Amino acid sequence: MGVRMTRVLGIGGTTRQDSSSERALRIAAAAAAEAGATVELITAQALLLPIYDPENPVRSDPAAALVAALRDADAVLISSPGYHGTVSGMVKNALDYVEDLRDDDRPYLAGLPIGCIAVAYGWQASVATLHTLRTCAHALRGWPTPLGAALNASVPGLFDQATGACTDGPSRFQLETVGRQVVEFAATRMGGERALDPAQL
C-alpha cells in the first residue's frame, strides 16, 4: 500500500490577485511543496464567498469547493492582510465555513497543523492579526505551528515586484519555516495514525 502524500491547503490573500498576503502565502506553499507535500491554493476572487449562514444549507460552488478542500486537507496555511488591526472580513468569512465540518468524523480542523501568516503595513497590525489567526486555529481545534509569520509590508522592497519573491531575509525565513513545519507535523501525525490503524495491524 503506497503512502499518500501530505495535502496542504493554502487560503488567503485579498480581493486583489497577487497581493502581498497572497505572495507570502505562495512562498510558504512553495516551501511546503519542496518538503514533499501536494499543495492547493484558494485565493483572491475564489474567496469572495457569500456571508456564511449556518441556517441555510445551500452553498455556492466556490463555497462548496472550499469546504471540500478543507475536508481533504492534512494541513492548512492561512494568510491574511491586517485590516484595521485584525483579520480581513474575507478571510474570516472563509474560516467560518469550517463550521460545515462540525459533524465530520474529524470535526472542524481537529488535529491539523495550521500555519498562520499575517501581512500588514506596520508591526502592530501584523502581530495583532497573527495573534487572531492563531486564536482562530485553536478555536477550530487545529494546532498552530510553533512559528507564525508576521510581515511588515512597510519594509522597503519586501517583495520583488516582477517575481513576487520575498527579498527580506528574516521575512522569507519565517514564511519558509511555516511552510515546512505544517508538512513535518502533518507527516508525523499521519504516520502515527497509520501505525494505529487496525486495518494495518
Side-chain angles (χ1 to χ4, degrees), residues 106-126:
R106 183 197 72 194
Y108 301 103
L109 302 179
L112 297 192
I114 312 294
C116 301
I117 302 165
V119 184
Y121 201 82
W123 289 117
Q124 180 172 326
S126 61

Side-chain angles (χ1 to χ4, degrees), residues 105-188:
D105 290 338
R106 183 197 72 194
Y108 301 103
L109 302 179
L112 297 192
I114 312 294
C116 301
I117 302 165
V119 184
Y121 201 82
W123 289 117
Q124 180 172 326
S126 61
V127 171
T129 301
L130 176 60
H131 177 73
T132 299
L133 285 173
R134 292 174 70 87
T135 298
C136 288
H138 281 134
L140 296 171
R141 307 186 192 180
W143 292 78
T145 55
L147 182 66
L151 275 63
N152 184 351
S154 68
V155 171
L158 180 61
F159 295 102
D160 183 280
Q161 293 305 307
T163 66
C166 183
T167 58
D168 179 68
S171 297
R172 185 173 61 254
F173 170 81
Q174 291 183 66
L175 296 172
E176 292 175 346
T177 300
V178 168
R180 286 192 298 267
Q181 284 183 344
V182 294
V183 178
E184 292 166 0
F185 185 94
T188 300

